[in-house]
Amino acid sequence: MSCGKTAAAALVDDDGALCHLCYNRHRRPRRLCGRCGQLKRIARNARDGQPDLCDGCYQGPDATCSICSRVRPCASRDEQGQPICATCYQRHRTGEPCARCGRTKPVNTRWPIGPVCMTCYTAVLRSPAECPRCGMVQPLIARDDDGAEICGPCVGFADYICKRCGRAGNPHSRGRCAHCVLAERVNALLAGPDGTINPQLEPLAAALADAPSPFPAIQWLKESPNTKLLARLASEGHELSHELLDEFPPSRNQRYIRQLLVHTGVLEERNEDIERIPGWLEHELADKPAAHASLARPFLHWFLLRRARQRAAMRRHPASADRDLRRRVSVALDFLAWMDQRDLALADLAQEHVDDWIAGATSQRRYLIRYFLKWTTSRRLTCELTVPSIPSQEPQNLLDDEARWRLLQRCLTDDALPTDVRAGGAITLLFGLSTKRLCHLTPEHLKFGDKHAHLVLGRHPVLLPPRLAELLRQLAEQPQLRPQLSRAHPGPRWLFPGMVPGKPISTHGMTQKLKRHGILVRTARNGALAALAADLPSPILADVTGMHRHTALRWVAYARRDWAEYLAARAEEVTSSRSQRS
């Protein structure tokens, strides 16, 4: 009745006969598994004090595998009845030529067109089309006499229609399609204490249930650790807010769920780089003395955050402030602990104490105490104190021009590299763009003309090489590789999308991706900036790269000084050679 094959019947009822395979798939009773606690098909009934075990928890009895000779759980046997372990069974399964793709692979099912492999089985069932014979939208699993693809019912084969919603294709379990299973599991995940979904979470439930690819969404609900936090928030029944999420320890799961709620319109969007710092501070202060907390809180809220919000309101380019803010607060807490070890009070702090603190540093991190001491001085908690400027250093780890052009040539011509790696690496090597700005590029930054293409980074669009322009065009036009949830408010479409809904790839993720393919971001960027600074005035360099004008001035001075030294050395060499000839 279900698969259309002629086989021994496992069940005969008013709806027809079911073979053993279809009975196991669709009609076999479900019970609670005694090990995992889920409602599943039971592979072994409870006996001898052992509970019911589902297909996933049950393992066959230990036996000596007839192929690898190892004693392992064996649930399969060969034609002679000898036991075979699961690994050897999968490795030595005999295959047949697939009737659709022609490759010799293990048979997943047999359709009217013949044996079909798993790849073709999945591709056909997930892309139903209109049958040219009957006009119904069905998976086309058969062929007529002319070789045209037709649906199963036209040749007397079972259909793939969901018994719940009537949708064709995408079968999942117990006669239901993946869309219905996804909606059912979303409701179970987001159900509150009363068993219903909180109206506040309905936009999220609708976005998850309407995911364009239901199978990855079902897998995400089942395996992602993010869903545990989401289920906890739903089951507790509290009104969702940013303040509620701030009470949880900072983690990747917390940040993902927050952005998911913002993306679907459950929470209002905020400047996350800045606004998540107070919650981080409260967790940092959990084991700190109360005196330290009474200083750290106003230092963060009334000094650091106030300035950070003002700068964020005026900033033209994306930038991350959270790392710098956390470092300044952490240095202040370390300094207060250092003072406690020496029985020092803020009122007794003198210049020699600050000098001792700086002298004991193994890195430049302790110089950040200048921000805390500036605040304590303005509040008259300490006397006027001076923190020396961080010693200026020349740019380190520059990529020389020969290596830079060689690496750029690889990015532009090597088709073995991923497209996003080629484009991101080429932009870094050519324009010295910061990773933060690189990750935030959108198709709106690209201007394609009849002959040339430009990348709009500031007030001065830069001309793109034809090969790089083609790579960026591919990124702008290609569909998103990861399923995208519907968004409450339209947002930008990123050239380099990330794993978090509505967000681009993180700077760390982009840096690591380029590094895996031999492109060290800092070295490549320094080499590009040195080359640009030798040719461009500092205002244009600052506009194109997004750096501060003072930083651009230092780069120009560095590049032109080295160029002047090169010219002087070259002139001396020419003069010396002339004197030798004379």
Side-chain angles (χ1 to χ4, degrees):
M1 177 190 72
S2 180
C3 65
K5 294 186 293 186
T6 301
L11 175 68
V12 179
D13 58 11
D14 296 339
D15 295 328
L18 286 175
C19 66
H20 286 274
L21 181 61
C22 292
Y23 173 78
N24 286 334
R25 285 180 176 176
H26 307 304
R27 300 289 293 277
R28 190 162 145 203
R30 264 72 168 170
R31 298 200 302 271
L32 287 176
C33 173
R35 178 172 296 174
C36 66
Q38 299 185 34
L39 189 65
K40 289 188 174 182
R41 297 179 306 203
I42 299 302
R44 193 198 67 178
N45 295 326
R47 66 172 183 268
D48 300 331
Q50 299 295 322
D52 290 334
L53 293 178
C54 67
D55 291 328
C57 296
Y58 172 72
Q59 290 184 336
D62 289 346
T64 302
C65 175
S66 59
I67 297 178
C68 65
S69 301
R70 290 181 294 179
V71 177
R72 306 187 69 183
C74 296
S76 301
R77 294 183 180 273
D78 59 14
E79 297 178 354
Q80 289 75 34
Q82 298 299 315
I84 304 176
C85 67
T87 302
C88 292
Y89 174 75
Q90 292 293 336
R91 186 177 297 167
H92 295 88
R93 287 177 66 188
T94 58
E96 297 182 34
C98 175
R100 187 169 180 269
C101 67
R103 293 176 295 179
T104 300
K105 301 180 69 176
V107 176
N108 184 69
T109 191
R110 296 183 184 275
W111 281 340
I113 59 174
V116 179
C117 66
M118 172 60 83
T119 303
C120 293
Y121 174 83
T122 302
V124 172
L125 292 187
R126 295 189 185 183
S127 56
E130 183 178 345
C131 175
R133 177 179 292 183
C134 66
M136 294 182 60
V137 176
Q138 283 270 2
L140 305 182
I141 62 174
R143 291 192 182 98
D144 59 14
D145 296 337
D146 298 330
E149 294 183 337
I150 57 177
C151 67
C154 287
V155 294
F157 198 82
D159 59 26
Y160 288 94
I161 298 294
C162 177
K163 296 180 180 178
R164 176 173 295 179
C165 68
R167 186 179 298 171
N170 295 295
H172 190 276
S173 61
R174 309 193 75 172
R176 299 170 300 167
C177 69
H179 296 279
C180 290
V181 173
L182 175 60
E184 178 182 294
R185 296 190 181 182
V186 168
N187 290 334
L189 175 73
L190 301 181
D194 58 352
T196 62
I197 296 179
N198 187 330
Q200 189 182 10
L201 285 173
E202 288 180 356
L204 173 61
L208 291 174
D210 294 338
S213 301
F215 288 95
I218 292 173
Q219 197 73 7
W220 180 80
L221 292 177
K222 179 180 179 181
E223 298 181 355
S224 175
N226 298 306
T227 57
K228 297 179 181 179
L229 177 58
L230 192 58
R232 176 180 174 183
L233 292 172
S235 63
E236 291 177 351
H238 299 304
E239 182 179 358
L240 296 179
S241 63
H242 286 292
E243 291 72 23
L244 177 63
L245 288 174
D246 288 339
E247 296 177 4
F248 290 88
S251 65
R252 295 176 60 184
N253 299 336
Q254 180 222 37
R255 292 193 295 271
Y256 185 94
I257 292 301
R258 187 194 300 274
Q259 178 56 29
L260 183 65
L261 296 175
V262 170
H263 183 78
T264 53
V266 177
L267 297 181
E268 293 292 331
E269 191 162 2
R270 69 177 188 177
N271 190 334
E272 198 58 32
D273 282 345
I274 295 177
E275 302 304 332
R276 68 183 176 194
I277 302 300
W280 165 84
L281 177 62
E282 293 306 315
H283 288 279
E284 286 292 306
L285 296 177
D287 57 348
K288 299 293 190 296
H292 295 186
S294 63
L295 290 169
R297 289 192 182 98
F299 169 58
L300 173 66
H301 288 279
W302 300 111
F303 184 70
L304 295 180
L305 287 181
R306 183 172 62 86
R307 296 175 61 190
R309 292 187 179 107
Q310 292 173 351
R311 291 185 176 182
M314 299 184 295
R315 190 180 295 277
R316 292 194 300 121
H317 305 302
S320 294
D322 58 334
R323 181 171 176 266
D324 291 336
L325 294 177
R326 287 199 300 267
R327 288 179 65 191
R328 292 169 189 179
V329 174
S330 297
V331 168
L333 292 173
D334 292 343
F335 183 67
L336 292 173
W338 180 84
M339 290 176 57
D340 285 351
Q341 293 175 0
R342 288 157 178 77
D343 294 327
L344 286 174
L346 281 176
D348 301 329
L349 196 62
Q351 185 63 46
E352 58 266 22
H353 300 137
V354 177
D355 295 339
D356 290 343
W357 161 262
I358 298 295
T362 57
S363 67
Q364 297 179 353
R365 186 172 180 269
R366 289 194 176 185
Y367 286 90
L368 296 177
I369 196 60
R370 68 172 66 250
Y371 298 97
F372 179 68
L373 294 181
K374 181 179 180 180
W375 174 75
T376 57
T377 301
S378 67
R379 305 300 297 172
R380 297 182 181 180
L381 299 176
T382 58
C383 62
E384 192 75 30
L385 299 169
T386 302
V387 178
S389 300
I390 297 177
S392 59
Q393 296 180 347
E394 299 293 349
Q396 303 293 321
N397 302 323
L398 269 74
L399 196 65
D400 62 81
D401 279 348
E402 182 180 352
R404 186 167 70 93
W405 289 116
R406 185 167 58 250
L407 195 55
L408 177 60
Q409 183 73 10
R410 177 172 171 241
C411 289
L412 296 178
T413 60
D414 189 355
D415 294 334
L417 293 176
T419 304
D420 56 346
V421 171
R422 296 174 64 189
I427 291 175
T428 303
L429 289 161
L430 272 177
F431 309 119
L433 208 62
S434 68
T435 311
K436 188 71 174 181
R437 290 192 67 191
L438 174 66
C439 296
H440 279 78
L441 291 179
T442 66
E444 284 69 30
H445 288 96
L446 303 175
K447 302 297 181 185
F448 294 101
D450 295 335
K451 295 183 179 180
H452 303 293
H454 292 81
L455 180 62
V456 182
L457 297 175
R459 293 185 295 271
H460 302 85
V462 294
L463 182 66
L464 291 172
R467 289 184 178 178
L468 177 55
E470 182 59 30
L471 290 175
L472 293 174
R473 186 194 295 272
Q474 293 177 21
L475 288 179
E477 295 177 353
Q478 74 178 7
Q480 300 288 349
L481 298 180
R482 293 179 59 83
Q484 299 296 309
L485 297 179
S486 59
R487 188 163 188 167
H489 306 289
R493 185 178 184 276
W494 309 107
L495 290 180
F496 303 97
M499 301 180 66
V500 180
K503 289 292 186 180
I505 186 173
S506 65
T507 56
H508 178 73
M510 175 61 79
T511 301
Q512 293 301 311
K513 179 178 285 191
L514 294 177
K515 182 180 179 180
R516 285 196 297 269
H517 292 87
I519 304 173
L520 301 179
V521 171
R522 173 169 292 184
T523 304
R525 184 169 182 247
N526 285 349
L529 290 176
L532 290 172
D535 298 328
L536 298 177
S538 60
I540 296 180
L541 180 64
D543 179 61
V544 170
T545 60
M547 66 175 59
H548 195 274
R549 61 183 186 276
H550 293 165
T551 306
L553 279 170
R554 288 197 297 270
W555 269 105
V556 170
Y558 165 77
R560 292 180 179 174
R561 183 202 64 205
D562 282 4
W563 183 247
E565 291 177 356
Y566 168 77
L567 291 178
R570 181 62 177 163
E572 183 179 351
E573 180 182 347
V574 172
T575 303
S576 175
S577 62
R578 285 177 179 175
S579 61
Q580 290 177 1
R581 287 198 302 267
S582 61

